[in-house]
Amino acid sequence: MQLDLDSIRAAHERIRPYIHRTPVLTSERLNEASRALLFFKCENFQKIGAFKARGATNAVFALDAVTARCGVATHSSGNHGAAIARAAKLRGIRAHIVMPSNSAKVKVRAVESYGAHVVFCEPTEKAREEKCADVVAKTGAILIHSFENENVIAGQGTAAVELLEDVSDLNVVMCPVGGGGLLSGTAIAAKSMRPKIKVIAVEPANADDAAQSFRARRRIVTEKKFTIADGLRTNVGEPNFAIIQRYVDDIVTVSEEAIVSAMRTVWETMKIVIEPSAAVPYAAILEPVIDVDGKRVGIILTGGNVDLDALPWNL
Amino acid sequence: MQLDLDSIRAAHERIRPYIHRTPVLTSERLNEASRALLFFKCENFQKIGAFKARGATNAVFALDAVTARCGVATHSSGNHGAAIARAAKLRGIRAHIVMPSNSAKVKVRAVESYGAHVVFCEPTEKAREEKCADVVAKTGAILIHSFENENVIAGQGTAAVELLEDVSDLNVVMCPVGGGGLLSGTAIAAKSMRPKIKVIAVEPANADDAAQSFRARRRIVTEKKFTIADGLRTNVGEPNFAIIQRYVDDIVTVSEEAIVSAMRTVWETMKIVIEPSAAVPYAAILEPVIDVDGKRVGIILTGGNVDLDALPWNL
C-alpha cells in the first residue's frame, strides 16, 4: 500500500461534506484521577455513531462512476456496515451488508434505516466471508473490506488529523486495535504530523492477537475468547500489521473488568455514551498498564452504539 | 422579589469562573422526527452534572463575608445538594446537606466528594424541612433553598441567557418544572431578551401541580404519585409561581412512558447521558402534546446524573 499523510488529507477533503468534525472533550475529574491531560476525540458523536463513517465514506466516494454502478458490499457486525450503507445512500448506489445473525438489534436497525440490503449469516468469520463473496459474485458489487482497504485506512486516519489540529503538543495518541484500520490510519497521520508523538494501541487481553504479533514481529492469528469489546474481536489485517510494525510504539492489553469500569466511568463522569470498544484505551490508563503521568494524551473514543438493554454492568 | 434580566446578568458575571458555558447540540435525526429545529442546551455537561451548579454557586458567592462565616445548609435529593457542596468548597465555607435516606448512591457520593457534611432524613418533604431547620438552628448556617431563593433563580436563568446568545431567532424555549427555580429564571431571561419567544414548561402528569396551578390561576399543592423524573416531584414554590404566572406561556404534562422513551431516544441518538427529568421537554414533543412544526426550539437538558444500576428501561 502507498499510504501517507497526503492520502489521508485527500480523504479528509473528500469526506468533509458528509461527516462531522467531532468535538474534543476533557474532564477535570479524569485528568486528576489519571494525573495527565486527557483529550477525548468524540467519534461517538460521528455520523452513524462511530469513526467507521470516515473510512467507509472515503472508500465509497473514491470509486469511479463505472465501478460504483453495481453497488458495494461488505460484511460487518455493525458500525462498518452502517457506515457503508449510509455512504452508498449518499452516493445513490446499492449496498449489500452481510451481518452475523447475532448482531445487536440497534446495529441492524441502523443499517436498515439507510435502505441497505441486509443479508444474515452464521456468526463466524468464515461464514461472513463466504456469504459476502457470494453476494459479490451474484451482484457485481464492489467489496469494501472494513480494514484491509487502503481508502478505508486513509479515511480512518482523518480523526487523528483533526485531533492533532485541535490539540497542540500531544505526547501520546491512543486508540483500540481490532482489525487495525483505525490504528494504521491513526499511526500514519500522527507520526507524519508530529514525529515525536508516541502511538499506543490497546487491545482486550481476551483478543490479543495484535499485541502477540507486535512482540513476535510477525502476524499471529489467534482463536479469540469472548470480549465485551465486540468491535475488537477480529484478527489484525495483513496490510494493517505492516503499517503497525512501522509506525506504532506499543500495543498493551487490558482486562474485561477494566474495560467495563472504564466505560462506566466515562458515562458517569463525562455524561457521554460510548461503546465497550471505545473504553479500551482509557481502560489501559485505569488498569494501569501504561504510564501517562504528566503527559498530554489524545484518546480516540471510537463509537457510541450500545444496546441499552444489555449494558455490561447489568449482565 | 425584584428579579429581572439585570439580576440574571449579574449572576452570570459572578459565577462565570466556576461554571461551564455548556455546548448546544443538535441532531439531524431528532430534527427530522420532530419536523422542527431542536437546540439542546447541555446542562448534563455542567459542573456537578446539572444546571443546579448555576443557582447554588450564585447564592453561595452572593453572601457577604460575615453571613457566609457559619456556612450554608440545604435539603436536596441530589443535584442542588451537590451544587451547594461544591460552591461552599470553592468559597472555603462549610456546607450541611440534608438528604433523604433513599437518595441515589451516585448523588450521595457526589455531595460527599466535595467534603460536605451529609445528614440523612426520612424521605418526606416535612422530614427534610424539619431536619434542615434543626441543622440551621444548631450551626448558624444560612439556608439556601433549592428554588424559593432569588439568587438561586437568577443563577438558573443564566442557562437560558447562554442559549439565546448562542442560537438566534428561537421561537420556543422549553424546560421542565418541579419547584420552578429553573423555569422562573428561564422565563425572565427568555422573555426579557426576546419578548416574542414562547416559554413552555413541561411536567410529568404524575406530578402535575404546576400545570393545575397554571390553569386555575392559583397555586395548588398536590399529593404526588410516583414519577421516574425524580427531580420534578416537588410542588412549585410560591415566589416561583408568581413569576411563572407572569412570564410563562403554557405548562403541558407528559406520561411516564413518554419520559422513558424520550430519555432512551436521546441516549441512543445523541450519545449523551441525560437523567429522566432532563428528558421531560423532549417527551412533550414525542408524545406529542405540543406542536413545534417548523419551529426553532431551545430545550434545556437539565442534568445527567443517573444511577446506571437502575435505568428505567431495565426496571
Side-chain angles (χ1 to χ4, degrees):
Chain A
M1 287 198 196
Q2 193 53 29
L3 257 175
D4 55 19
L5 184 58
D6 286 344
S7 351
I8 297 173
R9 291 211 185 273
H12 209 194
E13 283 309 307
R14 186 178 290 125
I15 68 179
R16 204 185 293 277
Y18 310 111
I19 63 153
H20 288 307
R21 186 175 184 110
T22 53
V24 177
L25 297 187
T26 61
S27 160
E28 276 180 38
R29 289 211 172 203
L30 298 190
N31 285 347
E32 282 165 25
S34 62
R35 297 198 292 184
L37 293 172
L38 309 181
F39 299 89
F40 294 93
K41 175 69 173 166
C42 289
E43 290 295 298
N44 56 324
F45 294 158
Q46 188 51 268
K47 291 290 181 187
I48 72 102
F51 76 89
K52 299 261 180 177
R54 296 174 182 270
T57 306
N58 190 46
V60 166
F61 279 84
L63 297 174
D64 65 69
V66 174
T67 312
R69 202 179 292 155
C70 293
V72 289
T74 197
H75 55 90
S76 161
S77 58
N79 287 332
H80 176 67
I84 290 288
R86 175 176 175 272
K89 186 184 179 190
L90 285 168
R91 183 144 187 201
I93 62 177
R94 193 121 174 81
H96 309 270
I97 314 294
V98 176
M99 302 186 77
S101 50
N102 62 350
S103 301
K105 266 177 292 177
V106 63
K107 296 193 174 183
V108 177
R109 274 202 305 270
V111 170
E112 288 173 340
S113 74
Y114 297 111
H117 173 220
V118 176
V119 186
F120 288 104
C121 68
E122 291 299 302
T124 68
E125 198 59 26
K126 187 158 171 285
R128 281 163 57 152
E129 285 174 9
E130 284 176 4
K131 180 69 84 176
C132 196
D134 191 42
V135 168
V136 166
K138 278 185 187 145
T139 61
I142 291 291
L143 172 68
I144 300 181
H145 192 274
S146 60
F147 50 87
E148 291 188 338
N149 177 302
E150 191 165 341
N151 288 318
V152 168
I153 295 172
Q156 317 302 31
T158 61
V161 169
E162 293 176 8
L163 176 60
L164 270 77
E165 282 176 355
D166 289 354
V167 184
S168 62
D169 300 332
L170 281 180
N171 305 114
V172 181
V173 64
M174 298 176 73
C175 73
V177 55
L182 177 66
L183 177 56
S184 37
T186 300
I188 294 170
K191 286 285 188 184
S192 307
M193 290 174 72
R194 191 172 162 78
K196 280 196 225 160
I197 206 166
K198 297 288 176 203
V199 178
I200 312 285
V202 190
E203 197 172 34
N206 282 0
D208 68 343
D209 70 287
Q212 283 190 38
S213 302
F214 190 76
R215 306 246 172 283
R217 295 169 191 274
R218 64 182 172 83
R219 184 163 166 268
I220 297 170
V221 170
T222 63
E223 281 291 313
K224 300 301 176 75
K225 295 179 217 148
F226 173 83
T227 171
I228 189 76
D230 58 345
L232 308 178
R233 283 176 201 158
T234 330
N235 278 286
V236 72
E238 281 209 42
N240 311 83
F241 185 62
I243 297 171
I244 289 167
Q245 282 196 289
R246 180 162 167 202
Y247 291 102
V248 172
D249 292 285
D250 202 0
I251 303 182
V252 298
T253 62
V254 291
S255 65
E256 294 295 295
E257 293 70 27
I259 298 170
V260 175
S261 176
M263 177 175 166
R264 185 168 179 147
T265 300
V266 168
W267 285 42
E268 286 189 343
T269 311
M270 300 182 66
K271 314 299 182 192
I272 58 175
V273 172
I274 61 168
E275 55 193 42
S277 301
V280 164
Y282 183 63
I285 293 174
L286 212 56
E287 192 122 272
V289 289
I290 68 159
D291 178 16
V292 290
D293 203 350
K295 300 227 168 70
R296 293 169 65 83
V297 183
I299 293 176
I300 301 181
L301 291 178
T302 47
N305 293 325
V306 179
D307 186 345
L308 293 178
D309 291 318
L311 295 173
W313 45 83
N314 291 325
L315 297 181
Chain B
M1 287 195 196
Q2 194 52 29
L3 258 176
D4 56 18
L5 184 58
D6 286 344
S7 352
I8 297 172
R9 291 213 186 271
H12 208 195
E13 283 309 307
R14 187 178 289 125
I15 67 179
R16 202 185 295 276
Y18 310 111
I19 63 153
H20 288 306
R21 186 176 184 109
T22 53
V24 176
L25 297 187
T26 60
S27 160
E28 275 180 40
R29 289 212 172 203
L30 298 191
N31 284 347
E32 280 165 27
S34 62
R35 296 198 293 184
L37 293 172
L38 309 181
F39 299 89
F40 294 93
K41 175 69 173 166
C42 288
E43 290 295 298
N44 56 325
F45 294 158
Q46 187 51 267
K47 291 290 180 184
I48 72 101
F51 75 91
K52 299 260 180 179
R54 297 176 181 268
T57 305
N58 190 46
V60 166
F61 279 85
L63 296 175
D64 64 68
V66 175
T67 312
R69 204 178 291 155
C70 293
V72 289
T74 198
H75 55 89
S76 160
S77 58
N79 287 333
H80 176 66
I84 291 287
R86 175 176 176 272
K89 186 185 180 189
L90 286 168
R91 184 145 183 199
I93 61 177
R94 194 121 173 79
H96 309 271
I97 314 293
V98 176
M99 302 187 77
S101 50
N102 61 351
S103 302
K105 267 178 292 178
V106 64
K107 296 193 173 181
V108 177
R109 274 202 306 271
V111 170
E112 289 174 340
S113 75
Y114 298 112
H117 173 219
V118 175
V119 186
F120 288 104
C121 68
E122 292 299 301
T124 68
E125 197 59 25
K126 188 157 170 287
R128 282 162 57 151
E129 285 174 9
E130 284 175 4
K131 181 70 86 179
C132 195
D134 192 40
V135 168
V136 165
K138 279 186 186 143
T139 61
I142 291 290
L143 172 69
I144 300 181
H145 192 275
S146 61
F147 50 86
E148 291 187 339
N149 177 302
E150 192 165 340
N151 289 317
V152 169
I153 295 172
Q156 317 303 32
T158 61
V161 169
E162 293 176 9
L163 176 60
L164 270 77
E165 282 176 355
D166 289 353
V167 185
S168 62
D169 300 331
L170 281 180
N171 304 113
V172 181
V173 64
M174 297 176 75
C175 74
V177 54
L182 176 67
L183 177 56
S184 35
T186 300
I188 293 171
K191 285 287 188 183
S192 307
M193 292 173 72
R194 191 172 161 78
K196 279 196 223 161
I197 206 167
K198 297 289 176 202
V199 178
I200 311 285
V202 189
E203 199 173 33
N206 283 0
D208 68 344
D209 71 286
Q212 284 190 37
S213 302
F214 190 77
R215 306 248 172 280
R217 294 169 192 271
R218 63 183 172 85
R219 184 164 165 267
I220 296 170
V221 171
T222 63
E223 281 293 313
K224 299 302 176 74
K225 294 179 217 147
F226 173 83
T227 169
I228 189 76
D230 59 344
L232 307 178
R233 283 175 201 157
T234 331
N235 277 285
V236 72
E238 280 208 43
N240 311 84
F241 185 62
I243 297 170
I244 289 168
Q245 282 195 289
R246 180 161 167 203
Y247 291 101
V248 172
D249 292 285
D250 203 0
I251 304 183
V252 298
T253 63
V254 290
S255 66
E256 294 297 294
E257 294 69 28
I259 297 170
V260 175
S261 175
M263 177 176 166
R264 186 169 180 147
T265 300
V266 167
W267 285 41
E268 286 188 345
T269 311
M270 299 182 67
K271 314 299 183 193
I272 58 176
V273 172
I274 62 168
E275 55 194 42
S277 300
V280 164
Y282 183 62
I285 294 174
L286 212 56
E287 192 120 272
V289 288
I290 67 159
D291 177 16
V292 291
D293 203 351
K295 300 226 166 70
R296 293 168 66 82
V297 182
I299 294 176
I300 300 180
L301 291 178
T302 48
N305 293 324
V306 179
D307 186 346
L308 293 178
D309 290 319
L311 294 173
W313 45 84
N314 290 326
L315 298 180

